[in-house]
Short mmCIF file of all heavy atoms in Angstrom, two decimals:
data_model
loop_
_atom_site.label_atom_id
_atom_site.label_comp_id
_atom_site.label_asym_id
_atom_site.label_seq_id
_atom_site.Cartn_x
_atom_site.Cartn_y
_atom_site.Cartn_z
N VAL T 160 23.49 103.90 64.28
CA VAL T 160 23.81 102.94 63.23
C VAL T 160 22.66 102.79 62.21
O VAL T 160 22.92 102.51 61.02
CB VAL T 160 24.17 101.54 63.76
CG1 VAL T 160 25.44 101.63 64.62
CG2 VAL T 160 23.08 100.91 64.61
N ARG T 161 21.43 103.02 62.60
CA ARG T 161 20.33 102.98 61.63
C ARG T 161 20.51 104.05 60.51
O ARG T 161 20.10 103.94 59.43
CB ARG T 161 18.97 103.23 62.31
CG ARG T 161 18.35 101.97 62.83
CD ARG T 161 16.84 102.16 63.15
NE ARG T 161 16.55 103.37 63.88
CZ ARG T 161 16.45 103.47 65.17
NH1 ARG T 161 16.60 102.40 65.92
NH2 ARG T 161 16.16 104.56 65.76
N ARG T 162 21.13 105.17 60.92
CA ARG T 162 21.35 106.30 59.99
C ARG T 162 22.65 106.21 59.21
O ARG T 162 22.96 107.03 58.37
CB ARG T 162 21.24 107.58 60.70
CG ARG T 162 19.84 107.86 61.25
CD ARG T 162 19.73 109.21 61.98
NE ARG T 162 18.47 109.34 62.64
CZ ARG T 162 18.27 109.00 63.92
NH1 ARG T 162 19.20 108.45 64.66
NH2 ARG T 162 17.06 109.12 64.49
N ALA T 163 23.49 105.24 59.51
CA ALA T 163 24.76 105.12 58.88
C ALA T 163 24.61 104.35 57.59
O ALA T 163 24.48 103.10 57.58
CB ALA T 163 25.78 104.38 59.82
N ALA T 164 24.60 105.07 56.48
CA ALA T 164 24.39 104.41 55.15
C ALA T 164 25.39 103.30 54.89
O ALA T 164 25.07 102.26 54.32
CB ALA T 164 24.48 105.45 54.06
N SER T 165 26.63 103.49 55.31
CA SER T 165 27.64 102.44 55.09
C SER T 165 27.33 101.15 55.81
O SER T 165 27.52 100.06 55.24
CB SER T 165 29.03 102.91 55.53
OG SER T 165 29.00 103.30 56.87
N LEU T 166 26.78 101.22 57.00
CA LEU T 166 26.41 100.00 57.76
C LEU T 166 25.13 99.41 57.18
O LEU T 166 25.01 98.19 57.10
CB LEU T 166 26.24 100.31 59.22
CG LEU T 166 27.44 100.73 60.00
CD1 LEU T 166 27.09 101.06 61.42
CD2 LEU T 166 28.53 99.62 59.94
N GLN T 167 24.18 100.23 56.73
CA GLN T 167 22.92 99.71 56.21
C GLN T 167 23.14 99.02 54.84
O GLN T 167 22.33 98.23 54.37
CB GLN T 167 21.92 100.81 56.10
CG GLN T 167 21.45 101.37 57.40
CD GLN T 167 20.90 100.34 58.37
OE1 GLN T 167 20.20 99.43 57.92
NE2 GLN T 167 21.31 100.43 59.65
N ALA T 168 24.25 99.28 54.16
CA ALA T 168 24.54 98.71 52.87
C ALA T 168 25.24 97.37 52.99
O ALA T 168 25.45 96.66 51.98
CB ALA T 168 25.43 99.68 52.07
N THR T 169 25.50 96.91 54.23
CA THR T 169 26.19 95.62 54.46
C THR T 169 25.20 94.46 54.46
O THR T 169 24.03 94.66 54.66
CB THR T 169 27.03 95.60 55.74
OG1 THR T 169 26.11 95.62 56.82
CG2 THR T 169 27.99 96.75 55.81
N VAL T 170 25.72 93.25 54.29
CA VAL T 170 24.87 92.03 54.34
C VAL T 170 24.29 91.87 55.72
O VAL T 170 23.20 91.40 55.83
CB VAL T 170 25.76 90.78 53.99
CG1 VAL T 170 25.04 89.47 54.21
CG2 VAL T 170 26.24 90.85 52.55
N ASP T 171 25.02 92.31 56.75
CA ASP T 171 24.52 92.15 58.14
C ASP T 171 23.32 93.03 58.38
O ASP T 171 22.57 92.78 59.36
CB ASP T 171 25.60 92.59 59.11
CG ASP T 171 26.75 91.59 59.13
OD1 ASP T 171 26.49 90.36 58.92
OD2 ASP T 171 27.90 92.04 59.31
N ALA T 172 22.99 94.00 57.54
CA ALA T 172 21.83 94.84 57.74
C ALA T 172 20.60 94.32 57.10
O ALA T 172 19.53 94.87 57.26
CB ALA T 172 22.16 96.27 57.21
N GLU T 173 20.68 93.26 56.34
CA GLU T 173 19.57 92.69 55.61
C GLU T 173 18.51 92.20 56.61
O GLU T 173 18.87 91.65 57.67
CB GLU T 173 19.98 91.58 54.69
CG GLU T 173 20.84 92.04 53.52
CD GLU T 173 21.22 90.92 52.59
OE1 GLU T 173 20.87 89.76 52.90
OE2 GLU T 173 21.98 91.20 51.67
N VAL T 174 17.28 92.39 56.31
CA VAL T 174 16.15 91.91 57.14
C VAL T 174 15.79 90.50 56.75
O VAL T 174 15.73 90.14 55.55
CB VAL T 174 14.97 92.89 56.98
CG1 VAL T 174 13.78 92.35 57.76
CG2 VAL T 174 15.36 94.27 57.39
N ALA T 175 15.45 89.67 57.71
CA ALA T 175 15.03 88.32 57.42
C ALA T 175 13.72 88.39 56.68
O ALA T 175 12.87 89.20 56.97
CB ALA T 175 14.89 87.52 58.71
N GLU T 176 13.54 87.47 55.71
CA GLU T 176 12.32 87.50 54.83
C GLU T 176 12.08 86.12 54.28
O GLU T 176 13.00 85.25 54.34
CB GLU T 176 12.49 88.54 53.72
CG GLU T 176 13.63 88.14 52.77
CD GLU T 176 13.97 89.24 51.83
OE1 GLU T 176 13.64 90.41 52.07
OE2 GLU T 176 14.60 88.94 50.84
N VAL T 177 10.84 85.90 53.79
CA VAL T 177 10.51 84.68 53.11
C VAL T 177 10.16 85.03 51.66
O VAL T 177 9.27 85.86 51.43
CB VAL T 177 9.28 84.00 53.81
CG1 VAL T 177 8.89 82.75 53.02
CG2 VAL T 177 9.53 83.75 55.23
N ARG T 178 10.84 84.41 50.71
CA ARG T 178 10.57 84.65 49.28
C ARG T 178 9.82 83.45 48.75
O ARG T 178 10.27 82.30 48.88
CB ARG T 178 11.89 84.86 48.51
CG ARG T 178 12.52 86.14 48.84
CD ARG T 178 13.79 86.44 48.02
NE ARG T 178 14.21 87.78 48.24
CZ ARG T 178 13.77 88.84 47.55
NH1 ARG T 178 12.88 88.69 46.59
NH2 ARG T 178 14.19 90.06 47.81
N ILE T 179 8.67 83.70 48.14
CA ILE T 179 7.93 82.63 47.51
C ILE T 179 7.39 83.10 46.14
O ILE T 179 7.23 84.31 45.94
CB ILE T 179 6.77 82.09 48.36
CG1 ILE T 179 5.79 83.19 48.71
CG2 ILE T 179 7.31 81.40 49.60
CD1 ILE T 179 4.54 82.71 49.46
N ASN T 180 7.07 82.15 45.30
CA ASN T 180 6.47 82.41 44.01
C ASN T 180 5.10 83.02 44.15
O ASN T 180 4.39 82.71 45.08
CB ASN T 180 6.38 81.05 43.30
CG ASN T 180 5.93 81.12 41.86
OD1 ASN T 180 4.74 81.35 41.66
ND2 ASN T 180 6.80 80.93 40.92
N GLU T 181 4.73 83.86 43.17
CA GLU T 181 3.40 84.56 43.26
C GLU T 181 2.27 83.57 43.25
O GLU T 181 1.31 83.70 44.03
CB GLU T 181 3.25 85.50 42.04
CG GLU T 181 1.97 86.28 42.05
CD GLU T 181 1.88 87.27 40.89
OE1 GLU T 181 2.72 87.25 39.97
OE2 GLU T 181 0.94 88.10 40.98
N ALA T 182 2.32 82.53 42.41
CA ALA T 182 1.30 81.52 42.39
C ALA T 182 1.17 80.76 43.68
O ALA T 182 0.11 80.46 44.18
CB ALA T 182 1.46 80.57 41.20
N GLN T 183 2.34 80.47 44.33
CA GLN T 183 2.35 79.84 45.61
C GLN T 183 1.74 80.70 46.67
O GLN T 183 0.99 80.26 47.56
CB GLN T 183 3.80 79.49 45.99
CG GLN T 183 3.93 78.63 47.27
CD GLN T 183 3.52 77.21 47.03
OE1 GLN T 183 4.12 76.58 46.18
NE2 GLN T 183 2.56 76.72 47.76
N ALA T 184 2.01 81.99 46.68
CA ALA T 184 1.49 82.96 47.61
C ALA T 184 0.01 82.98 47.48
O ALA T 184 -0.78 82.92 48.50
CB ALA T 184 2.10 84.37 47.38
N LYS T 185 -0.52 83.03 46.30
CA LYS T 185 -1.98 83.06 46.08
C LYS T 185 -2.61 81.75 46.55
O LYS T 185 -3.67 81.72 47.18
CB LYS T 185 -2.29 83.27 44.58
CG LYS T 185 -2.08 84.65 44.12
CD LYS T 185 -2.41 84.90 42.65
CE LYS T 185 -2.15 86.30 42.24
NZ LYS T 185 -2.37 86.52 40.79
N ALA T 186 -1.96 80.60 46.26
CA ALA T 186 -2.48 79.32 46.66
C ALA T 186 -2.59 79.20 48.18
O ALA T 186 -3.49 78.56 48.73
CB ALA T 186 -1.65 78.17 46.10
N LEU T 187 -1.63 79.85 48.88
CA LEU T 187 -1.61 79.81 50.34
C LEU T 187 -2.42 80.96 50.97
O LEU T 187 -2.55 81.00 52.22
CB LEU T 187 -0.13 79.85 50.83
CG LEU T 187 0.66 78.62 50.45
CD1 LEU T 187 2.13 78.90 50.78
CD2 LEU T 187 0.22 77.40 51.18
N GLY T 188 -2.91 81.87 50.18
CA GLY T 188 -3.62 83.02 50.73
C GLY T 188 -2.73 84.08 51.28
O GLY T 188 -3.19 84.88 52.14
N PHE T 189 -1.50 84.11 50.85
CA PHE T 189 -0.54 85.11 51.40
C PHE T 189 -0.45 86.28 50.39
O PHE T 189 -0.64 86.14 49.20
CB PHE T 189 0.85 84.53 51.51
CG PHE T 189 0.98 83.43 52.56
CD1 PHE T 189 2.00 82.56 52.47
CD2 PHE T 189 0.09 83.32 53.60
CE1 PHE T 189 2.14 81.52 53.40
CE2 PHE T 189 0.22 82.29 54.54
CZ PHE T 189 1.25 81.42 54.43
N SER T 190 -0.07 87.43 50.90
CA SER T 190 0.18 88.57 50.05
C SER T 190 1.52 89.21 50.43
O SER T 190 2.01 89.03 51.56
CB SER T 190 -0.93 89.63 50.17
OG SER T 190 -1.04 90.08 51.52
N GLU T 191 2.13 89.92 49.50
CA GLU T 191 3.42 90.57 49.73
C GLU T 191 3.34 91.49 50.93
O GLU T 191 2.40 92.27 51.10
CB GLU T 191 3.83 91.38 48.50
CG GLU T 191 5.22 92.02 48.72
CD GLU T 191 6.16 91.84 47.54
OE1 GLU T 191 5.75 91.37 46.47
OE2 GLU T 191 7.28 92.22 47.75
N GLY T 192 4.32 91.37 51.83
CA GLY T 192 4.42 92.20 52.96
C GLY T 192 3.78 91.59 54.20
O GLY T 192 4.08 91.99 55.33
N GLN T 193 2.86 90.63 54.00
CA GLN T 193 2.23 89.88 55.08
C GLN T 193 3.32 89.16 55.84
O GLN T 193 4.32 88.74 55.30
CB GLN T 193 1.23 88.93 54.57
CG GLN T 193 0.52 88.07 55.64
CD GLN T 193 -0.43 87.05 54.96
OE1 GLN T 193 -0.72 87.12 53.86
NE2 GLN T 193 -0.90 86.16 55.82
N THR T 194 3.17 89.08 57.19
CA THR T 194 4.20 88.32 57.96
C THR T 194 3.66 86.96 58.29
O THR T 194 2.50 86.80 58.53
CB THR T 194 4.59 89.09 59.26
OG1 THR T 194 3.38 89.34 60.01
CG2 THR T 194 5.28 90.40 58.97
N VAL T 195 4.59 85.98 58.28
CA VAL T 195 4.24 84.59 58.56
C VAL T 195 5.31 84.00 59.48
O VAL T 195 6.47 84.41 59.48
CB VAL T 195 4.18 83.76 57.29
CG1 VAL T 195 2.99 84.20 56.43
CG2 VAL T 195 5.42 83.80 56.48
N TRP T 196 4.93 83.03 60.22
CA TRP T 196 5.89 82.24 61.03
C TRP T 196 6.41 81.15 60.09
O TRP T 196 5.73 80.58 59.29
CB TRP T 196 5.21 81.57 62.24
CG TRP T 196 4.81 82.56 63.27
CD1 TRP T 196 3.62 83.18 63.40
CD2 TRP T 196 5.62 83.11 64.30
NE1 TRP T 196 3.64 84.00 64.48
CE2 TRP T 196 4.87 84.01 65.04
CE3 TRP T 196 6.94 82.86 64.68
CZ2 TRP T 196 5.37 84.69 66.16
CZ3 TRP T 196 7.41 83.56 65.77
CH2 TRP T 196 6.64 84.45 66.51
N VAL T 197 7.69 80.85 60.24
CA VAL T 197 8.32 79.83 59.42
C VAL T 197 8.71 78.66 60.35
O VAL T 197 9.25 78.94 61.43
CB VAL T 197 9.57 80.36 58.71
CG1 VAL T 197 10.29 79.24 57.97
CG2 VAL T 197 9.20 81.47 57.78
N GLU T 198 8.35 77.46 59.96
CA GLU T 198 8.70 76.27 60.77
C GLU T 198 9.27 75.21 59.89
O GLU T 198 8.80 74.93 58.76
CB GLU T 198 7.41 75.79 61.42
CG GLU T 198 7.66 74.75 62.51
CD GLU T 198 6.42 74.47 63.33
OE1 GLU T 198 5.77 75.40 63.73
OE2 GLU T 198 6.19 73.25 63.53
N GLN T 199 10.31 74.55 60.36
CA GLN T 199 10.94 73.44 59.66
C GLN T 199 11.40 72.42 60.66
O GLN T 199 12.18 72.79 61.61
CB GLN T 199 12.10 73.89 58.75
CG GLN T 199 12.75 72.75 58.02
CD GLN T 199 13.89 73.23 57.14
OE1 GLN T 199 14.16 74.42 57.06
NE2 GLN T 199 14.48 72.28 56.48
N GLU T 200 10.98 71.17 60.50
CA GLU T 200 11.41 70.08 61.40
C GLU T 200 11.25 70.45 62.88
O GLU T 200 12.15 70.21 63.69
CB GLU T 200 12.79 69.67 61.09
CG GLU T 200 13.01 69.15 59.65
CD GLU T 200 14.44 68.81 59.29
OE1 GLU T 200 15.40 69.02 60.12
OE2 GLU T 200 14.61 68.28 58.21
N GLY T 201 10.13 71.09 63.20
CA GLY T 201 9.81 71.40 64.58
C GLY T 201 10.49 72.66 65.11
O GLY T 201 10.23 72.98 66.26
N HIS T 202 11.25 73.34 64.31
CA HIS T 202 11.86 74.59 64.72
C HIS T 202 11.14 75.78 64.09
O HIS T 202 10.93 75.80 62.88
CB HIS T 202 13.37 74.62 64.36
CG HIS T 202 14.11 73.48 64.96
ND1 HIS T 202 14.53 73.52 66.27
CD2 HIS T 202 14.58 72.32 64.47
CE1 HIS T 202 15.17 72.36 66.54
NE2 HIS T 202 15.21 71.65 65.42
N ARG T 203 10.76 76.71 64.92
CA ARG T 203 9.99 77.88 64.42
C ARG T 203 10.88 79.14 64.47
O ARG T 203 11.77 79.27 65.32
CB ARG T 203 8.85 78.07 65.41
CG ARG T 203 7.82 79.04 64.91
CD ARG T 203 6.66 79.09 65.90
NE ARG T 203 5.59 79.91 65.35
CZ ARG T 203 4.56 80.23 66.01
NH1 ARG T 203 4.34 79.84 67.24
NH2 ARG T 203 3.59 81.01 65.43
N SER T 204 10.63 80.03 63.50
CA SER T 204 11.40 81.27 63.43
C SER T 204 11.18 82.06 64.71
O SER T 204 10.14 81.92 65.38
CB SER T 204 10.93 82.08 62.22
OG SER T 204 9.54 82.37 62.22
N ALA T 205 12.17 82.86 65.07
CA ALA T 205 12.08 83.62 66.31
C ALA T 205 11.03 84.70 66.27
O ALA T 205 10.53 85.08 67.32
CB ALA T 205 13.45 84.26 66.59
N SER T 206 10.67 85.14 65.12
CA SER T 206 9.61 86.13 64.95
C SER T 206 8.97 85.93 63.57
O SER T 206 9.56 85.27 62.71
CB SER T 206 10.14 87.53 65.07
OG SER T 206 11.14 87.81 64.07
N PRO T 207 7.77 86.50 63.33
CA PRO T 207 7.19 86.37 62.02
C PRO T 207 8.04 87.15 60.96
O PRO T 207 8.59 88.18 61.23
CB PRO T 207 5.79 86.99 62.16
CG PRO T 207 5.77 87.61 63.46
CD PRO T 207 6.94 87.22 64.25
N LEU T 208 8.11 86.59 59.74
CA LEU T 208 8.93 87.16 58.70
C LEU T 208 8.04 87.65 57.59
O LEU T 208 7.01 87.04 57.34
CB LEU T 208 9.92 86.10 58.17
CG LEU T 208 10.79 85.38 59.17
CD1 LEU T 208 11.63 84.33 58.53
CD2 LEU T 208 11.69 86.42 59.86
N PRO T 209 8.44 88.73 56.93
CA PRO T 209 7.60 89.29 55.80
C PRO T 209 7.74 88.41 54.55
O PRO T 209 8.75 87.91 54.26
CB PRO T 209 8.19 90.70 55.62
CG PRO T 209 9.63 90.58 56.08
CD PRO T 209 9.60 89.59 57.21
N ILE T 210 6.62 88.34 53.86
CA ILE T 210 6.61 87.64 52.55
C ILE T 210 7.04 88.57 51.46
O ILE T 210 6.60 89.69 51.37
CB ILE T 210 5.11 87.21 52.22
CG1 ILE T 210 4.60 86.18 53.17
CG2 ILE T 210 5.02 86.70 50.78
CD1 ILE T 210 5.15 84.76 53.02
N ILE T 211 7.92 88.09 50.60
CA ILE T 211 8.38 88.80 49.39
C ILE T 211 7.98 87.90 48.23
O ILE T 211 8.42 86.73 48.19
CB ILE T 211 9.89 89.06 49.40
CG1 ILE T 211 10.33 89.82 50.67
CG2 ILE T 211 10.35 89.76 48.12
CD1 ILE T 211 9.79 91.21 50.82
N VAL T 212 7.23 88.44 47.32
CA VAL T 212 6.86 87.65 46.11
C VAL T 212 8.00 87.70 45.12
O VAL T 212 8.44 88.81 44.75
CB VAL T 212 5.55 88.16 45.52
CG1 VAL T 212 5.24 87.52 44.16
CG2 VAL T 212 4.37 87.97 46.47
N ASP T 213 8.47 86.51 44.71
CA ASP T 213 9.64 86.46 43.80
C ASP T 213 9.39 85.29 42.85
O ASP T 213 9.48 84.13 43.26
CB ASP T 213 10.90 86.26 44.66
CG ASP T 213 12.18 86.18 43.84
OD1 ASP T 213 12.08 86.02 42.58
OD2 ASP T 213 13.25 86.24 44.44
N ASN T 214 9.08 85.62 41.62
CA ASN T 214 8.83 84.55 40.66
C ASN T 214 10.02 83.73 40.21
O ASN T 214 9.93 82.82 39.48
CB ASN T 214 8.08 85.12 39.47
CG ASN T 214 6.61 85.45 39.81
OD1 ASN T 214 6.01 84.75 40.63
ND2 ASN T 214 6.09 86.51 39.24
N GLY T 215 11.19 84.16 40.74
CA GLY T 215 12.40 83.36 40.47
C GLY T 215 12.49 82.16 41.44
O GLY T 215 13.36 81.26 41.27
N VAL T 216 11.59 82.10 42.41
CA VAL T 216 11.54 80.92 43.32
C VAL T 216 10.61 79.87 42.73
O VAL T 216 9.45 80.22 42.39
CB VAL T 216 11.06 81.39 44.74
CG1 VAL T 216 10.95 80.19 45.69
CG2 VAL T 216 11.98 82.46 45.32
N PRO T 217 11.02 78.64 42.62
CA PRO T 217 10.18 77.63 42.02
C PRO T 217 8.88 77.40 42.85
O PRO T 217 8.90 77.56 44.09
CB PRO T 217 11.06 76.36 42.08
CG PRO T 217 12.44 76.82 42.24
CD PRO T 217 12.36 78.13 42.97
N MET T 218 7.83 77.02 42.17
CA MET T 218 6.61 76.69 42.81
C MET T 218 6.80 75.56 43.81
O MET T 218 7.58 74.63 43.55
CB MET T 218 5.56 76.24 41.79
CG MET T 218 4.22 75.99 42.31
SD MET T 218 3.42 77.52 42.86
CE MET T 218 1.77 76.96 43.06
N GLY T 219 6.30 75.67 45.04
CA GLY T 219 6.53 74.69 46.06
C GLY T 219 7.71 74.87 46.89
O GLY T 219 7.92 74.07 47.86
N ALA T 220 8.45 75.90 46.65
CA ALA T 220 9.66 76.22 47.40
C ALA T 220 9.59 77.53 48.13
O ALA T 220 8.76 78.39 47.72
CB ALA T 220 10.90 76.14 46.50
N ALA T 221 10.41 77.74 49.06
CA ALA T 221 10.55 79.05 49.72
C ALA T 221 12.01 79.29 50.01
O ALA T 221 12.77 78.41 50.32
CB ALA T 221 9.72 79.13 50.99
N ILE T 222 12.41 80.56 49.93
CA ILE T 222 13.78 80.94 50.33
C ILE T 222 13.61 81.80 51.56
O ILE T 222 12.91 82.82 51.58
CB ILE T 222 14.45 81.72 49.25
CG1 ILE T 222 14.66 80.87 47.94
CG2 ILE T 222 15.80 82.23 49.74
CD1 ILE T 222 15.20 81.60 46.77
N VAL T 223 14.25 81.39 52.64
CA VAL T 223 14.20 82.12 53.88
C VAL T 223 15.57 82.78 54.10
O VAL T 223 16.53 82.08 54.36
CB VAL T 223 13.81 81.22 55.09
CG1 VAL T 223 13.78 82.01 56.38
CG2 VAL T 223 12.52 80.50 54.78
N ALA T 224 15.62 84.08 53.91
CA ALA T 224 16.88 84.82 54.08
C ALA T 224 16.87 85.27 55.56
O ALA T 224 15.96 85.91 56.04
CB ALA T 224 16.91 85.99 53.16
#
Side-chain angles (χ1 to χ4, degrees):
V160 296
R161 272 197 314 266
R162 293 181 190 92
S165 58
L166 293 177
Q167 295 304 319
T169 67
V170 172
D171 293 326
E173 292 179 2
V174 177
E176 62 191 21
V177 179
R178 293 184 168 274
I179 59 174
N180 183 287
E181 183 176 12
Q183 186 75 57
K185 286 181 182 176
L187 294 170
F189 296 157
S190 59
E191 179 133 12
Q193 177 183 351
T194 57
V195 295
W196 290 94
V197 176
E198 191 170 314
Q199 181 179 0
E200 298 177 355
H202 300 283
R203 190 176 188 188
S204 57
S206 62
L208 306 175
I210 294 283
I211 304 295
V212 173
D213 181 347
N214 287 325
V216 178
M218 185 69 168
I222 297 174
V223 180

